[in-house]
Each structure stands twice: as structure tokens, then as C-alpha cells.
């Protein structure tokens, strides 16, 4: 078994619903992702009266998600219309930060 | 007529002439499939935060916000530069299908924004004297902001209005 295979088998543990992962609906697809709640935040957007910004950071297996999303791509996360603020790939896992402009 | 009275006269005018004639999407930040149209609200100054909405107002946005950029009094006349900001929520296309509504995000919300702005400008041009006291001056300008907080869209209308000058001091009237 190669090192990559070992990492992949570890990913299956991390993204197991009995361990860390939860099922969320992303653009109409049910995917097992790990949401990092520590990074959830909401702040006021000073430039626009009446708008605040919410953020979600989550991890998803690249093989489950598919093509890496580009910055600015709209994405519906559990019914919330958001857009990709940042996406990084590390060892077959995407770390995706979504942002949402919300009414205050 | 005080500055506040001018802003209130414009607010009443927009409430009468614009709010009833156009419906726009009510924001649904937590469920994009929850689609509802509402008449735009009219605010003075700023958008009120949640919990401070006037009774009966369903949503703070879509809206028109009547504001003051600045004012000058040269002794002959008093001019106020008015800024009406427009804010709409328009994330994409909700298309009726057999099972309900099919939603596709797009970046065409500027259409809704410009429709609201156009109708407002048209009414201002048709009614240049408001409440018998506020005289709208030319030029009326409008535009959109370069960056937009999608799915919200923001634009503006500016124009000067004239009102009666404040009374000057007696000594100033005699010697200046």
C-alpha cells in the first residue's frame, strides 16, 4: 500500500458520518463534509448600509466534490445563497470558505 | 420648512407614487427557495436594523432610502443635495416548474435595481414640485455602485432641491 493509499483510507475515517462528517446539501447534492464551526462568523459590511457578511468554512473530499471551485463561484449551501471566497486543496481534501452577504 | 420636513415630504411622495406600483423579491438569506414578492419600503437616512422595522413593514429591503448629501444657503436661496439610495435582493431566476420553483443563480439583479431606479426617476420628473414646498432641480443623476454585495444590488439617484432660505439677521439684511 502506497503512502497516498494510506492517506485516502484515513480520509474515509475522517469523512465518516459516525466520526466528524455531517451531510449537507451543496448545490442540490448531498455531500459528507466537515464544517469548522470555529470559523463561522458574521460581521457588518461597512460599505453597504443594511448588509452583514456571514462565513462558513468546511472540508470536503475532492473526489466527492469534483472540480475545484473558483473564487467568486455562487454556491447554495443548505439553502443559503453563498459564494466561494477561497478554496485550497491539500492531500485530496478541499478547504472551502464560503461567504454570504446577508440583510442585517 | 426644515431639512427633516423636506426628507419626510420626499418619503411620503415615494410611498405614494413608487411603493404601490412595483414588487420585488423579499430577502430569504436562510432559504433561497423561499420566494416572495413585496412592495419596496421607503426609509429616511439608513436602513433600520432587525427589530427596529416600523409596524407593518414586511422587510427592510427592497427599499429606497431618502438621504441628504449636503446643503447650502447663500442668503438668496437654500439648496439641498438629495441622495436616494436603492437596494434590492435579486439572487437569480426562480422559474415555476411542476414541483414548485426551480432556482438558478445569476448576476442579472441589476435589472431589478435599474427598474426601481427608472420608475423613481420618471415619477420625480413628472412631479417636480412636491407637497407644494419642495422644488426638484436639474440635473437628476443616477447610477450603480462599482462593486455589488451579491445577491443584493445597490444604486443611487441624486438631485438638488430648493426651499425657502432661513431668515437672515436684521443687521445682515440692512448692511450686507
Amino acid at each position: 500500500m502506497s503512502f497516498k493509499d494510506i492517506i485516502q483510507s484515513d480520509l474515509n475515517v475522517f469523512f465518516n458520518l459516525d466520526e466528524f462528517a455531517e451531510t449537507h446539501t451543496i448545490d442540490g447534492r448531498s455531500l459528507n463534509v466537515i464544517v469548522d464551526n470555529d470559523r463561522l462568523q458574521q460581521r457588518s459590511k461597512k460599505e453597504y448600509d443594511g448588509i452583514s457578511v456571514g462565513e462558513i468554512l468546511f472540508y470536503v473530499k475532492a473526489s466527492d466534490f469534483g472540480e475545484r471551485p473558483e473564487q467568486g463561484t455562487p454556491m447554495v449551501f443548505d439553502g443559503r445563497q453563498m459564494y466561494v471566497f477561497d478554496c485550497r486543496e491539500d492531500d485530496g481534501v478541499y478547504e472551502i470558505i464560503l461567504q454570504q452577504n446577508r440583510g442585517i | 420648512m426644515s431639512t427633516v420636513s423636506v426628507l419626510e415630504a420626499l418619503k411620503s411622495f415615494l410611498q405614494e407614487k413608487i411603493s404601490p406600483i412595483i414588487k420585488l423579491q423579499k430577502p430569504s438569506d436562510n432559504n433561497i427557495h423561499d420566494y416572495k414578492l413585496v412592495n419596496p419600503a421607503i426609509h429616511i437616512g439608513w436602513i433600520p436594523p432587525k427589530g427596529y422595522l416600523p409596524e407593518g413593514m414586511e422587510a427592510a429591503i427592497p427599499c429606497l432610502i431618502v438621504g441628504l448629501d449636503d446643503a447650502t444657503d447663500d442668503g438668496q436661496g437654500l439648496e439641498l443635495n438629495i441622495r436616494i439610495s436603492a437596494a434590492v435582493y435579486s439572487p437569480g431566476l426562480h422559474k415555476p416548474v411542476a414541483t414548485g420553483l426551480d432556482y438558478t443563480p445569476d448576476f442579472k439583479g441589476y435589472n431589478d435595481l435599474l427598474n426601481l431606479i427608472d420608475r423613481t426617476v420618471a415619477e420625480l420628473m413628472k412631479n417636480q414640485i412636491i407637497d407644494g414646498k419642495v422644488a426638484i432641480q436639474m440635473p437628476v443623476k443616477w447610477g450603480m455602485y462599482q462593486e455589488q454585495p451579491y445577491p443584493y444590488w445597490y444604486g443611487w439617484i441624486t438631485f438638488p432641491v430648493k426651499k425657502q432660505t432661513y431668515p437672515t439677521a436684521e443687521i445682515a439684511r440692512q448692511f450686507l
Side-chain angles (χ1 to χ4, degrees):
Chain A
M1 187 183 263
S2 71
F3 182 62
K4 278 188 176 176
D5 292 335
I6 294 169
I7 288 177
Q8 278 305 313
S9 64
D10 282 350
L11 286 183
N12 290 334
V13 173
F14 281 115
F15 285 94
N16 187 325
L17 290 174
D18 293 329
E19 300 294 339
F20 303 105
E22 300 164 338
T23 303
H24 289 268
T25 307
I26 299 172
D27 284 342
R29 296 187 297 161
S30 290
L31 292 172
N32 292 348
V33 306
I34 299 169
V35 175
D36 186 348
N37 286 308
D38 293 342
R39 291 290 301 272
L40 274 174
Q41 47 184 289
Q42 193 162 326
R43 61 178 191 275
S44 144
K45 193 159 186 161
K46 297 291 178 201
E47 307 95 293
Y48 297 96
D49 183 26
I51 298 292
S52 65
V53 179
E55 283 185 351
I56 287 177
L57 183 152
F58 69 94
Y59 300 92
V60 61
K61 279 164 71 177
S63 57
D64 288 351
F65 192 87
E67 196 177 331
R68 181 175 165 169
E70 286 185 25
Q71 206 174 33
T73 305
M75 195 176 287
V76 179
F77 188 97
D78 287 344
R80 293 169 62 182
Q81 176 63 72
M82 309 188 82
Y83 59 91
V84 177
F85 177 72
D86 193 25
C87 176
R88 294 172 195 182
E89 184 176 3
D90 200 8
D91 291 330
V93 175
Y94 291 145
E95 179 196 82
I96 299 176
I97 299 174
L98 299 180
Q99 279 197 346
Q100 180 188 30
N101 293 311
R102 301 172 60 86
I104 54 173
Chain B
M1 193 181 205
S2 69
T3 302
V4 169
S5 303
V6 171
L7 300 180
E8 283 176 348
L10 286 164
K11 179 185 175 183
S12 300
F13 171 79
L14 296 171
Q15 261 169 341
E16 183 193 333
K17 300 284 186 185
I18 301 298
S19 279
I21 65 166
I22 188 166
K23 282 199 166 192
L24 296 155
Q25 193 174 343
K26 181 182 175 182
S28 50
D29 293 325
N30 293 325
N31 182 7
I32 197 65
H33 304 290
D34 183 10
Y35 180 80
K36 191 178 179 193
L37 295 173
V38 292
N39 297 106
I42 313 293
H43 309 293
I44 290 180
W46 295 268
I47 294 175
K50 277 196 180 85
Y52 288 84
L53 280 188
E55 207 176 310
M57 189 180 287
E58 211 171 332
I61 295 175
C63 68
L64 293 169
I65 310 145
V66 181
L68 173 73
D69 269 352
D70 55 29
T72 51
D73 187 342
D74 61 5
Q76 306 299 311
L78 201 158
E79 195 170 88
L80 296 97
N81 290 315
I82 299 295
R83 175 177 297 265
I84 297 176
S85 301
V88 303
Y89 174 80
S90 186
L93 178 66
H94 288 78
K95 193 174 164 187
V97 291
T99 51
L101 282 175
D102 186 32
Y103 167 69
T104 313
D106 65 32
F107 290 94
K108 295 179 181 171
Y110 59 87
N111 285 304
D112 292 331
L113 176 69
L114 289 178
N115 283 339
L116 176 60
I117 289 175
D118 278 351
R119 283 182 171 227
T120 306
V121 170
E123 285 301 325
L124 290 168
M125 299 299 270
K126 274 197 282 184
N127 302 273
Q128 293 187 18
I129 306 291
I130 290 170
D131 200 21
K133 298 163 193 162
V134 181
I136 293 173
Q137 308 294 299
M138 297 297 119
V140 176
K141 296 180 180 178
W142 61 95
M144 296 186 288
Y145 293 103
Q146 284 297 309
E147 286 188 23
Q148 295 290 342
Y150 173 83
Y152 292 84
W153 298 81
Y154 279 64
W156 51 268
I157 302 164
T158 58
F159 53 89
V161 299
K162 275 207 185 302
K163 74 178 192 77
Q164 198 178 12
T165 185
Y166 288 117
T168 49
E170 185 63 29
I171 193 164
R173 274 204 297 275
Q174 284 181 9
F175 299 105
L176 297 180

